Amino acid sequence: MRIHDDLLIGGRRRAPEGGRTLEVRSPATEQLVGRVPEAGPADVDAAVTAARRALEAGAWPRTTPAERGEVLGRLGKLLRGRTEELATLISDEVGSPRRWAVTGQVGTALGVLHVHRGIAGSYPWEETRPSLMGGSVRVRRLPVGVVGAIVPWNAPLFTAALKVAPALLAGCPVILKPSPEAPLSAFVLAEAAAEAGLPDGVLTVLPAGPEGSEHLVRHPGVDAVSFTGSTAVGTRIGELCARDVRRCTLELGGKSAAVLLDDVELTDRVVRELVDGAMANSGQICIAQTRILVPRSRHAEIVEALGEAVGRLRVGDPAAEDTDLGPVISAAARDRIERAVDAARAGGARIVAGGGRPDLPVGHYLRPTLITDVEPAAPIAQDELFGPVAVVLPYDDEDDAIRIANSTQYGLAGSVWTADPGRGERVAGRLVAGSVAVNSSAAMDLGSPFGGMRRSGLGREGGPEGVTAFVEHQSIVFPPAA
């Protein structure tokens, strides 16, 4: 049980407004695993005041990028030393299998910090260009200001690192708003950041519900908002930021496609990666490749192989070493996903594997499910379910595959599978997606830009492009020498 009674704002402990708290319950056991304070509008005001003090009069924005990179390096080492603790916390609050949480939850966050420590020395913080008027121009990249970082529950530490690391590296104070369902790892992050040498007020953790969250987004003292979550909420945040002409980065929903070309060799590795790409973290990943496009001539062969692999997945206690899939986050999520599968079945879809709930006494569990015999325009093939459900869709030729892959409102990620990597790259280039992997389900590289097209978002995270989201460009123009 992890209990946090107070908020830490500007180096001082503070009881939450109205004494409100948020309970954190395990989706596997439905038992209480933690409690945190719930920040209200007055707490947001206090955090913004502390952050603006750190921005305008504090040392952090005035340190060198190299010094800030060293702090990120120390933070990474401290978190690495707490890997087991963090993996257990995230497994408890999210339901991720414990062995996957070590790599897929904590390991990815450590990778982000490592990458940004390296970017500190290579990013063009300042450069001099020749002026068309004969003089020169000094182009400087300055901190954008106070950042409101809002992260989801499915990968709480990783998504926090994707925002906190580049913002801190740019010299920005950050107010981190974790999800009410999974706030526990954010407190460990803040503890480690203070130990690494981050000054007071530069990183504040504010768990909050809708009222506190909207107050943070609307706050005139927040210069930029970085959000990961649903397209519906992201649209609202974008509207609010646009009204005040404030910067925002939005990493939103996805319905990613894995395109198997007709020459693909269906090895055990390929089948395993396709299943993992759709089902990891119980499908609760924005880049889950839950639309699997296959040549019509090989449909039966591929469906059989995938169905057998999905049927072998072990669902159960996240703490058990042999568990492949844990629960989904809540009873409401489980019921919503079940309704979508039932509607697809009623519409003529064939359940190849799974469907329904496993025989477990407690927890929000679903059996991993593979579906076929549905139209590409069917809701089950269009809507982001955020659960362990994948759909196999046949296509006629390469152009048809690309048409189906691009026939959603989303454009986040995808993959192409082929015996010819050159062909795979050409097909990848025709997909409307921010990231596409060739012969892999890993459609995200921590040192490269990641983000969506269409309704999958605005802006990019990761790599130097992710740092650029947190800087303002200033040009200082010098006349020609006399």
Side-chain angles (χ1 to χ4, degrees):
M1 177 80 70
R2 180 62 69 97
I3 303 295
H4 295 277
D5 293 320
D6 296 323
L7 299 165
L8 185 63
I9 298 176
R12 297 182 179 181
R13 295 198 173 277
R14 172 190 175 101
E17 178 185 1
R20 295 178 294 190
T21 60
L22 296 167
E23 290 188 344
V24 184
R25 293 189 175 273
S26 164
T29 66
E30 304 179 45
Q31 298 299 307
L32 190 69
V33 295
R35 189 175 63 243
V36 299
E38 179 182 357
D43 303 312
V44 172
D45 291 342
V48 172
T49 296
R52 295 221 64 85
R53 186 182 306 117
L55 174 71
E56 295 162 7
W60 184 251
R62 291 152 191 84
T63 57
T64 66
E67 291 170 328
R68 297 196 290 265
E70 286 303 308
V71 173
L72 292 182
R74 291 196 296 272
L75 173 57
K77 289 180 181 178
L78 290 167
L79 292 178
R80 187 177 301 279
R82 301 177 72 169
T83 293
E84 296 301 318
E85 173 192 0
L86 283 163
T88 299
L89 276 178
I90 296 171
S91 184
D92 283 347
E93 60 186 356
V94 176
S96 300
R98 175 68 174 67
R99 60 186 173 87
W100 187 83
V102 171
T103 54
Q105 295 277 16
V106 182
T108 50
L110 297 177
V112 170
L113 291 166
H114 174 75
V115 163
H116 283 85
R117 183 188 182 188
I119 291 173
S122 60
Y123 189 77
W125 301 103
E126 187 173 298
E127 58 183 311
T128 301
R129 304 174 184 175
S131 168
L132 291 178
M133 296 179 291
S136 62
V137 180
R138 187 101 69 228
V139 179
R140 305 171 66 215
R141 291 163 176 85
L142 308 174
V144 71
V146 173
V147 172
I150 303 173
V151 300
W153 52 262
N154 62 315
L157 186 64
F158 171 55
T159 50
L162 273 175
K163 301 177 188 308
V164 168
L168 293 181
L169 185 58
C172 300
V174 180
I175 299 170
L176 174 62
K177 207 292 293 182
S179 166
E181 289 86 357
L184 300 178
S185 62
F187 283 85
V188 177
L189 174 63
E191 292 166 4
E195 188 177 348
L198 202 66
D200 291 342
V202 175
L203 176 62
T204 304
V205 172
L206 287 185
E211 182 186 17
S213 300
E214 179 144 336
H215 191 66
L216 176 64
V217 171
R218 287 177 173 273
H219 203 292
V222 173
D223 300 291
V225 175
S226 181
F227 170 78
T228 296
S230 72
T231 298
V233 176
T235 300
R236 172 65 174 165
I237 289 173
E239 290 172 351
L240 293 174
C241 289
R243 289 177 189 176
D244 297 331
V245 196
R246 285 184 292 138
R247 184 89 60 87
C248 71
T249 302
L250 306 173
E251 197 271 278
L252 309 177
K255 189 70 172 178
S256 301
V259 181
L260 280 64
L261 299 183
D262 52 13
D263 62 352
V264 67
E265 184 180 355
L266 203 64
T267 64
D268 290 343
R269 182 195 73 83
V270 169
V271 171
R272 183 176 63 253
E273 283 214 32
L274 287 167
V275 171
D276 287 347
M279 301 292 176
N281 206 33
S282 296
Q284 299 172 125
I285 302 176
C286 58
I287 60 173
Q289 293 161 30
T290 55
R291 291 189 302 146
I292 303 174
L293 278 56
V294 305
R296 195 174 300 277
S297 61
R298 300 184 63 185
H299 179 262
E301 166 204 359
I302 295 172
V303 165
E304 181 180 7
L306 293 175
E308 289 178 358
V310 170
R312 288 194 297 269
L313 293 175
R314 291 159 296 198
V315 181
D317 181 2
E321 284 298 317
D322 62 348
T323 292
D324 295 310
L325 267 66
V328 295
I329 190 64
S330 67
R334 178 197 60 204
D335 296 347
R336 174 182 51 77
I337 296 163
E338 280 186 316
R339 287 193 298 271
V341 172
D342 290 343
R345 184 191 286 112
R350 176 163 61 98
I351 308 300
V352 179
R357 307 179 188 182
D359 186 17
L360 294 168
V362 294
H364 312 311
Y365 290 98
L366 286 170
R367 296 170 64 198
T369 301
L370 186 72
I371 299 175
T372 194
D373 297 346
V374 300
E375 293 298 319
I380 198 76
Q382 290 288 319
D383 299 339
E384 184 182 38
L385 293 186
F386 230 57
V389 179
V391 177
V392 181
L393 302 169
Y395 65 83
D396 295 320
D397 56 26
E398 190 173 294
D399 287 340
D400 191 37
I402 292 164
R403 179 188 64 80
I404 295 171
N406 290 340
S407 64
T408 77
Q409 62 178 324
Y410 299 112
L412 188 58
S415 62
V416 180
W417 303 79
T418 174
D420 180 354
R423 182 187 180 196
E425 183 177 4
R426 290 192 296 274
V427 171
R430 297 178 65 189
L431 299 183
V432 180
S435 298
V436 185
V438 176
N439 291 333
S440 167
S441 60
M444 183 179 189
D445 178 80
L446 300 181
S448 304
F450 173 76
M453 301 178 182
R454 294 177 173 168
R455 291 181 63 80
S456 284
L458 298 171
R460 293 295 182 265
E461 296 182 308
E465 292 82 2
V467 177
T468 298
F470 298 103
V471 301
E472 290 284 13
H473 293 76
Q474 182 188 55
S475 296
I476 300 178
V477 183
F478 296 93

